[in-house]
Amino acid sequence: MIALAVTGCSSTDGAKGSQDNGGSSGTPSSSASAQAKPIGAPGTVTVSWCDLKGGNSGAPTAQQLTLASYSMTDGQEVARTVSLLPQGADTGILCDSTPTGHTSVPSAVRQAFNKDFTLVAGVMPPVRSGASSQDGPAVAFTLKPQSTPVGAPSADPFTIGAKDRTPAFQSGTSTLWYETHDRHVMSRDLGQPGAAATDHGMSHDWGFVLAGDQPWSRMPLGDKFKDVTVNPSGTAAAAAADDYNSAIWLKDSTVPGSGDEYAEPLRFGPAPFGSANKALPGGDNVPQCTPKFWIDDHSLFCAGKGFSRVVFSDALDSVQKVEQLLPDNDRDNSSVAPSPDLKSVVFLSRQGKDVAELYRLDLSPGSTPKKISSIAPHGPSVNSELRLVAWQ
């Protein structure tokens, strides 16, 4: 698995230094010595690989995370760290090879790391034998050669072990959010050792999306919408369902007769067979695509065979227009991330599995993609999934 983070476009080259040891076979080679810069320095692209290391005599596997940063100016490697997590620990989305992992929105992948890429969110291995690999307490792991947990609860053999899920960092912080087995949404600041967790109440359903410091848990009933993206003001969300039924819904919308448990989705794009969801007026003009991020409160960046900007009315009750940003093509351009000012996007483009090319595109009709770099596969025996995490 590979994830990418794009940090800043402008950079100045630092003095050359030696590459961090701890690298594994199959990692990309650098044509120059690594520069003396930290992971995620301005003007770099940061890449994250996840490799599974087999345990001995039936012991659980261990996830190894490799982070490397490359110069946005010349594509050279400038920093690298390799971290071996404890056996059985799980970082979730970073090592998820299922379709859900492949289609994750940029905000979800970026929230796996804290502000400065020194911690990664995850779940400790369960204490009891036979439990699921995700039946453990939510913690963070240090991104050091021998990774250790941060924020783990005190061991007590006479308590029921935690079974937390969906750990994620609040953007720009070291505050870890997660959901407990009884659906309580919790957070704790890992920058304050020993700080007590804050209970934010119960989620409406299993799982939540973190938008700033606000958990969003009200989801549509019936369809399995996933990879939800919330608009800047936190008033509306968008996502695609398993049947490619894209929709938006308002935070205060409800399904009649369901109390406040579920939201009423408003579909847009090609109508899937048998869909009972209410369609937005003008929504049939939207091509089949997956919502990736909101450009502003009323316009959505959508990725399919090409890229589109979907513009909604002020009340979000109709589609006003659809702007083509990138024509339909035969390449895989599903991994994207917006610029901080939301005026441009970076994306990975692949045709085949050998090399992924990194492009920048301004979010205005008629713009031409500009190639930034090429990234070789992690190794011939590793199934590498590349993702853009953030452009900072």
Side-chain angles (χ1 to χ4, degrees):
M1 312 294 298
I2 299 182
L4 285 176
V6 181
T7 58
C9 272
S10 62
S11 67
T12 55
D13 291 335
K16 290 185 177 181
S18 60
Q19 183 172 341
D20 185 7
N21 60 13
S24 61
S25 61
T27 57
S29 60
S30 173
S31 59
S33 298
Q35 306 290 314
K37 290 185 179 181
I39 292 290
T44 65
V45 178
T46 299
V47 186
S48 171
W49 290 269
C50 176
D51 296 325
L52 298 180
K53 301 297 181 179
N56 296 323
S57 302
T61 58
Q63 295 178 357
Q64 179 174 280
L65 294 180
T66 303
L67 276 72
S69 292
Y70 299 88
S71 169
M72 289 283 288
T73 303
D74 58 15
Q76 298 300 310
E77 184 176 303
V78 297
R80 175 180 290 264
T81 62
V82 180
S83 305
L84 183 64
L85 274 62
Q87 285 186 331
D90 183 30
T91 57
I93 195 171
L94 297 177
C95 296
D96 188 355
S97 60
T98 67
T100 297
H102 293 171
T103 60
S104 299
V105 296
S107 58
V109 183
R110 179 61 182 93
Q111 287 173 348
F113 298 99
N114 68 338
K115 179 180 179 180
D116 57 3
F117 292 96
T118 57
L119 297 174
V120 61
V123 175
M124 284 283 288
V127 176
R128 59 188 177 88
S129 62
S132 166
S133 62
Q134 298 179 347
D135 284 348
V139 298
F141 298 97
T142 58
L143 290 174
K144 296 181 178 180
Q146 288 296 324
S147 178
T148 56
V150 175
S154 300
D156 187 342
F158 297 102
T159 61
I160 297 176
K163 293 187 287 185
D164 301 329
R165 62 181 66 201
T166 60
F169 281 105
Q170 181 178 325
S171 298
T173 74
S174 291
T175 299
L176 183 71
W177 289 65
Y178 56 96
E179 184 183 39
T180 65
H181 71 282
D182 55 359
R183 290 172 46 186
H184 279 261
V185 178
M186 311 291 291
S187 71
R188 61 179 183 270
D189 185 358
L190 300 185
Q192 302 292 328
T198 300
D199 190 337
H200 299 272
M202 292 185 67
S203 62
H204 291 87
D205 201 353
W206 288 114
F208 70 96
V209 177
L210 188 59
D213 61 353
Q214 297 296 315
W216 181 297
S217 63
R218 185 180 290 115
M219 303 294 179
L221 176 65
D223 290 308
K224 295 182 179 179
F225 286 93
K226 57 190 178 183
D227 299 318
V228 179
T229 176
V230 179
N231 70 351
S233 66
T235 57
D242 291 336
D243 60 1
Y244 303 102
N245 179 15
S246 295
I248 65 170
W249 58 94
L250 305 182
K251 189 168 188 178
D252 57 0
S253 66
T254 58
V255 176
S258 70
D260 65 349
E261 288 294 307
Y262 300 102
E264 179 71 30
L266 302 173
R267 180 187 56 77
F268 61 90
F273 178 76
S275 174
N277 289 339
K278 180 180 178 181
L280 278 174
D284 291 341
N285 296 323
V286 181
Q288 182 173 300
C289 60
T290 299
K292 289 294 185 176
F293 62 88
W294 290 82
I295 301 170
D296 55 44
D297 268 352
H298 301 95
S299 59
L300 188 67
F301 181 93
C302 213
K305 292 184 177 179
F307 296 155
S308 300
R309 183 206 306 259
V310 182
V311 182
F312 301 97
S313 64
D314 290 344
L316 297 170
D317 56 3
S318 65
V319 173
Q320 297 294 291
K321 63 178 177 179
V322 180
E323 298 175 345
Q324 185 184 73
L325 301 173
L326 184 69
D328 288 356
N329 56 84
D330 294 328
R331 301 177 68 89
D332 178 2
N333 306 308
S334 61
S335 187
V336 304
S339 63
D341 61 5
L342 300 175
K343 294 182 179 180
S344 303
V345 68
V346 289
F347 65 96
L348 285 166
S349 183
R350 288 181 292 183
Q351 195 163 33
K353 297 182 178 180
D354 291 337
V355 176
E357 296 174 320
L358 185 65
Y359 284 87
R360 171 179 176 167
L361 178 70
D362 291 336
L363 297 182
S364 56
S367 297
T368 302
K370 179 182 178 182
K371 184 177 177 179
I372 298 173
S373 183
S374 297
I375 298 178
H378 186 46
S381 61
V382 179
N383 182 20
S384 299
E385 179 68 26
L386 285 77
R387 300 187 189 119
L388 290 171
V389 178
W391 181 354
Q392 298 175 326

